[in-house]
Amino acid sequence: MLTRRHIRVKVMQSLYAYSQSENDNLKAEEKFLLKSMDEMYDLYLLLLDLIVEIKDHAEDYLEKSQLKHLPSEEDVDPNRKFVNNELIAQLKQNRSLNIELETRKLNNWKNDDEYVEILWAEIRNSDRYREYMTTRTSSFREDKEFVIAIFREIIAPNEKLYDYLEDKKITWVDDLPLVNTAIVKMLQKASEGKDQALTRLFKSSDDKDYAVELFRKTLLNDNSLAQEMEGKTPNWDKERIADLDTILIKMAICEFLKFPSIPVKVTINEYLEVAKEYSTPKSSIFINGVLDKLSKEYSENNKLNKMGRGLM
């Protein structure tokens, strides 16, 4: 789930938090970094659970409708197509998902069920739902397509849900696009009669190691990385350089010099993209100029200790 770019963002946020605080406890900040990444997985699990909770809420809605003093014909004999959706039933019975939710004590939707109700109301009043409910039976394929559609069109973009998640964990705002994509991909891979495996937080243990190493090496080599920048920003006073830009440049230099397996072009492109999203409008141009100058200088002086073909 976590891409290298998102890992760089997490490290950048941790380094920035460290630079702005009076805390000089490396272990504590490293713990914060790992916690931030792990909480992204909490978000992934919660949104999967939300789909199930909406279905359960819909079922409760049907049962209460049958108990009305003067129930309609639809109340007495409701269309149960949505509450019997096979893909949602798979999620509800998914052993790995249930274990993770219980282990991590993720019961948000039991405590904050008003958001489940809000989303169920939006789904129930949507054209997508009305079209789906024109029949009483469906195939697994139709059920899957419907769940993916309501997740993309109603759940993921819901502003009230967005505000709720932002209030719970500020870092979740940055995590949402990646988590939503991971959920859609998981749902697309679902097949009838088979538990779908949960997406892993890290593609491999190497990615987790990379996150910790990038954080440590950038922080522990802060003075030498700052010296590498000297003279490379002649038209910029130190006071004019955004703190975030300084951190991104130091991270990139660290990758140039201390991560032999990462190509120079990849490093430059990745940090330019991060700068475009998180820093000032002119930051990417400024950072590109500094990194381009440094990479050429390092290449000429044989300081780029890159291993493998195409890494220069």
Side-chain angles (χ1 to χ4, degrees), residues 29-269:
E29 292 300 331
E30 188 177 303
K31 187 177 180 181
F32 171 81
L33 169 64
L34 294 171
K35 185 173 182 285
S36 172
M37 292 188 289
D38 193 56
E39 285 175 346
M40 178 181 174
Y41 204 65
D42 286 349
L43 176 61
Y44 168 74
L45 297 169
L46 277 174
L47 291 180
L48 285 175
D49 186 44
L50 179 57
I51 297 171
V52 175
E53 290 294 334
I54 292 170
K55 190 279 296 181
D56 287 347
H57 187 84
E59 194 158 16
D60 185 56
Y61 173 86
L62 294 183
E63 290 174 1
K64 288 179 179 176
S65 296
Q66 290 178 315
L67 299 176
K68 287 180 182 177
H69 179 61
L70 293 172
S72 66
E73 185 178 336
E74 174 62 23
D75 292 333
V76 174
D77 183 25
N79 185 346
R80 297 182 60 83
K81 184 175 179 178
F82 175 62
V83 299
N84 291 336
N85 183 287
E86 290 185 55
L87 178 56
I88 301 179
Q90 270 192 13
L91 284 177
K92 187 178 178 67
Q93 296 162 11
N94 189 296
R95 187 168 179 272
S96 298
L97 175 59
N98 289 324
I99 289 173
E100 288 285 1
L101 289 168
E102 185 175 350
T103 302
R104 293 167 179 260
K105 296 180 172 58
L106 297 174
N107 56 0
N108 293 50
W109 312 124
K110 295 290 191 292
N111 298 327
D112 302 313
D113 59 351
E114 65 266 31
Y115 295 94
V116 177
E117 187 173 351
I118 288 168
L119 287 162
W120 160 235
E122 287 204 20
I123 291 169
R124 189 174 73 250
N125 294 318
S126 68
D127 291 337
R128 180 74 68 173
Y129 180 80
R130 281 190 281 270
E131 181 183 348
Y132 175 69
M133 299 296 282
T134 53
T135 63
R136 290 192 168 224
T137 60
S138 65
S139 63
F140 182 83
R141 179 177 178 180
E142 184 187 1
D143 284 350
K144 181 167 81 169
E145 289 175 351
F146 174 72
V147 173
I148 293 171
I150 62 169
F151 183 81
R152 278 176 163 162
E153 299 168 12
I154 299 173
I155 298 173
N158 185 273
E159 289 186 9
K160 290 182 180 178
L161 177 62
Y162 180 94
D163 291 341
Y164 167 78
L165 294 172
E166 184 179 27
D167 287 342
K168 284 293 178 183
K169 293 278 188 309
I170 187 65
T171 55
W172 279 353
V173 174
D174 291 325
D175 298 335
L176 262 175
L178 203 63
V179 168
N180 287 337
T181 299
I183 288 174
V184 170
K185 285 182 178 179
M186 176 186 170
L187 297 176
Q188 287 173 333
K189 291 178 181 177
S191 56
E192 191 170 3
K194 183 181 178 182
D195 250 10
Q196 182 59 40
L198 297 179
T199 304
R200 293 182 299 174
L201 178 60
F202 294 100
K203 293 179 181 178
S204 70
S205 59
D206 289 346
D207 281 349
K208 184 176 182 179
D209 292 341
Y210 163 73
V212 174
E213 282 185 39
L214 181 60
F215 176 76
R216 284 179 183 171
K217 290 179 178 179
T218 304
L219 198 56
L220 294 174
N221 293 282
D222 183 72
N223 290 334
S224 62
L225 294 172
Q227 289 174 8
E228 295 290 337
M229 286 180 63
E230 288 186 8
K232 304 302 184 296
T233 58
N235 299 322
W236 294 76
D237 296 330
K238 286 184 178 179
E239 291 74 19
R240 288 179 60 206
I241 302 175
D243 290 344
L244 215 52
D245 292 354
T246 300
I247 289 170
L248 291 173
I249 292 171
K250 286 178 179 177
M251 289 171 67
I253 296 171
C254 186
E255 283 193 17
F256 283 163
L257 303 177
K258 300 183 182 297
F259 288 81
S261 64
I262 301 178
V264 170
K265 287 183 179 178
V266 168
T267 293
I268 293 175
N269 290 338

Side-chain angles (χ1 to χ4, degrees), residues 4-17:
R4 284 289 177 103
R5 182 177 300 171
H6 207 80
I7 288 172
R8 288 178 173 96
V9 169
K10 291 289 187 185
V11 173
M12 174 199 74
Q13 291 170 336
S14 294
L15 290 169
Y16 182 79

